[in-house]
Amino acid sequence: DGSETFCSAIAPQDVTGRYVHFNDSFALRSGDLRWRSKVSVFNNDASDAQPFKLSIHNVMVDDAAEPIELQHHDKGFIWIEPNHHVTHASVGGHRFVVKDKERNERFAVELHHVDHDEL
């Protein structure tokens, strides 16, 4: 429905975690709101071996919009142009790193399956 809930502000170099559900999305914005991205988490019905799908969306479309870089493996990188997204199937614990055009790390994401008994 497009609504948002503010979860927290994360200081540079801080780490945070969230319990999420499939089909949840998160907006990540710099303090000055000039750098923006969205992360969405989906169930991967097509594979038991890779149960997650993670989408990274470069939501910047203003005149100063820049590509962002997704590091999806040690040596696997892809540029995401403004108003485009990339979706990857993944196992739990795989780290995805998102960087700005100067290749400075902006954030990283890891998905982990939590058994209902752990909640």
Side-chain angles (χ1 to χ4, degrees), residues 4-40:
E4 292 186 358
T5 299
F6 177 76
C7 293
S8 67
I10 306 167
Q13 309 305 317
D14 274 4
V15 175
T16 189
R18 296 279 179 263
Y19 289 106
V20 301
H21 298 95
F22 291 124
N23 302 317
D24 281 353
S25 294
F26 302 88
L28 293 111
R29 302 177 181 106
S30 62
D32 63 6
L33 303 178
R34 292 180 188 211
W35 197 94
R36 301 171 307 281
S37 181
K38 182 172 81 172
V39 175
S40 301

Side-chain angles (χ1 to χ4, degrees), residues 58-85:
N58 180 351
V59 297
M60 297 179 282
V61 295
D62 46 308
D63 290 339
E66 302 173 345
I68 61 176
E69 184 180 52
L70 172 62
Q71 181 179 356
H72 51 93
H73 290 286
D74 289 340
K75 296 184 180 180
F77 301 85
I78 187 167
W79 287 102
I80 305 172
E81 295 297 323
N83 201 32
H84 285 82
H85 71 277

